[in-house]
Amino acid sequence: MRKPGRLTEQINQLEDLYPSRGREEKLFERADPVVFGDGKPRGEHGLTPEQLDFYARNGFIVIPGVFSQQEVDVFNDEYERLAASDALKGKEELVLEPDSNQLRSIFSPQRFSDVFNRLARSHRILDKITQILGSDVYLHHARINSKRALSGKSFPWHSDFETWHAEDGLPRCRVLSAWVMLHENHEFNGPLYLIPGSHKTFVSCAGATPEDHHRASLRKQEYGVPSITALRKLSEKGGLAAAHGAPGTLILHEGNTMHGSPDNISPATRTNLFFVYNSVLNTPGEKPFAADRFRPEFLASPDFNPLQPIDNKFA
């Protein structure tokens, strides 16, 4: 059984600050800051004041050149090793495309790879994360999403935090994703689309959470997604943006930023590695807010021990 932290237990008992999965969709202002604490760097690889301000206003930031091409080559080789591993076949951590047996995602790659375990704790990433979240962090989950050339399928518009709150029990929006481009992400190969500024508005989605929702949603999400009316309202304020970049680019992506991506009908594969970091002050309570039980550990880790940053190179 999960053991909630004292602060988290009190929050869960008092109020659900982000109610969702009800009878109708609602939009309301987020209850949390975007940058926690004083925003000062906690290490030499922190964000500049200008970068931090851009992130706070837009809900994401694209930082090129954080990892070298030689390092990315190591990451890609490790991904291909995992994708071909007999030890992973048949595990829930391997998710297939909705209309084929092609690999869509590998979850918890850090559990099967020393390279990815070390990468999750890199100073080049963690210094930025702890600066934004204002505390130590743990790894809520990790995944590699690959859209194969000509066949990789879309991800619908959604807020990650809506799912992490409703189904994983994270009480506050003190969580974010850091992802590394393993291939070039360009306009043709299914890049991530985002709505700048959408992280400041929470979309409370309609529809009760089905039992074992993750079994279907990881292949094609249909619950916890916004209506076209909500998307129009958000995009009227912030417009649309696309995350383009060369291999080795790092994206910091606020937990509540609305995003999605189209099919990849180009001849170029697009693969990205995601780490989801949650504040150690934001651990789940005894149960999720809008589901009968927590999702499996490969999606919602019960290990809340803070990550210790390391300074390493991979090539």
Side-chain angles (χ1 to χ4, degrees):
M1 179 180 291
R2 294 165 185 255
K3 296 181 179 180
R6 188 173 181 181
L7 176 61
T8 298
E9 188 173 24
Q10 291 173 349
I11 290 170
N12 277 354
Q13 290 174 350
L14 288 174
E15 184 182 6
D16 178 356
L17 298 177
Y18 297 95
S20 193
R21 311 289 173 94
R23 303 183 74 175
E24 60 182 9
E25 181 181 77
K26 298 178 181 178
L27 279 68
F28 54 88
E29 187 176 350
R30 70 183 284 143
D32 294 303
V34 178
V35 176
F36 292 78
D38 58 16
K40 292 182 179 179
R42 294 165 63 98
E44 63 176 299
H45 296 285
L47 298 170
T48 66
E50 294 76 17
Q51 288 174 321
L52 191 63
D53 179 67
F54 184 94
Y55 175 87
R57 284 186 289 108
N58 292 282
F60 69 94
I61 187 168
V62 180
I63 309 172
V66 174
F67 297 95
S68 70
Q69 182 61 61
Q70 290 75 20
E71 290 177 308
V72 171
D73 289 343
V74 172
F75 304 154
N76 273 312
D77 287 346
E78 190 70 353
Y79 166 69
E80 295 296 343
R81 182 187 71 80
L82 290 181
S85 171
D86 289 336
L88 289 180
K89 289 181 179 178
K91 288 185 176 291
E92 279 195 302
E93 285 86 348
L94 268 65
V95 178
L96 306 179
E97 290 285 8
D99 61 348
S100 73
N101 287 324
Q102 256 194 345
L103 185 61
R104 179 176 175 90
S105 303
I106 299 177
F107 280 83
S108 294
Q110 82 285 356
R111 295 185 182 183
F112 308 107
S113 164
D114 177 68
V115 170
F116 294 139
N117 183 281
R118 289 187 290 118
L119 179 57
R121 293 176 286 131
S122 170
H123 263 296
R124 282 178 274 177
I125 299 176
L126 278 183
D127 285 359
K128 300 172 178 62
I129 304 304
T130 55
Q131 179 184 5
I132 292 170
L133 297 184
S135 72
D136 288 336
V137 298
Y138 70 93
L139 199 62
H140 180 61
H141 81 233
R143 65 192 184 277
I144 304 172
N145 289 342
S146 185
K147 290 186 180 181
R148 299 290 182 178
L150 301 179
S151 60
K153 296 304 180 184
S154 65
F155 289 82
W157 287 101
H158 64 285
S159 154
D160 289 328
F161 176 66
E162 193 279 339
T163 295
W164 299 335
H165 178 75
E167 300 185 40
D168 298 341
L170 302 192
R172 311 297 287 259
C173 195
R174 197 170 183 174
V175 57
L176 60 84
S177 293
W179 48 283
V180 181
M181 294 182 179
L182 302 188
H183 294 131
E184 182 182 0
N185 284 223
H186 53 67
E187 61 184 306
F188 302 112
N189 66 347
L192 194 75
Y193 294 159
L194 311 102
I195 301 180
S198 59
H199 61 304
K200 299 176 182 178
T201 301
F202 182 75
V203 179
S204 174
C205 296
T209 308
E211 186 176 356
D212 288 334
H213 180 225
H214 71 279
R215 296 186 186 279
S217 67
L218 298 183
R219 300 186 76 179
K220 184 178 181 181
Q221 186 172 353
E222 296 180 333
Y223 291 84
V225 295
S227 69
I228 189 170
T229 301
L231 291 170
R232 283 173 175 160
K233 287 181 178 179
L234 294 175
S235 61
E236 283 171 1
K237 291 182 179 180
L240 299 176
H244 296 164
T249 297
L250 176 69
I251 313 294
L252 302 183
H253 177 244
E254 212 278 334
N256 191 47
T257 301
M258 195 63 67
H259 63 287
S261 62
D263 290 354
N264 180 10
I265 60 170
S266 81
T269 292
R270 188 223 75 174
T271 303
N272 296 321
L273 169 62
F274 294 76
F275 296 116
V276 177
Y277 297 96
N278 188 37
S279 168
V280 296
L281 302 177
N282 192 43
T283 55
E286 294 181 348
K287 61 181 181 179
F289 288 94
D292 292 334
R293 58 179 180 268
F294 290 108
R295 296 193 299 171
E297 291 186 9
F298 74 90
L299 297 173
S301 175
D303 181 357
F304 308 140
N305 290 310
L307 297 175
Q308 300 303 316
I310 57 177
D311 193 6
N312 53 17
K313 295 183 179 181
F314 300 90

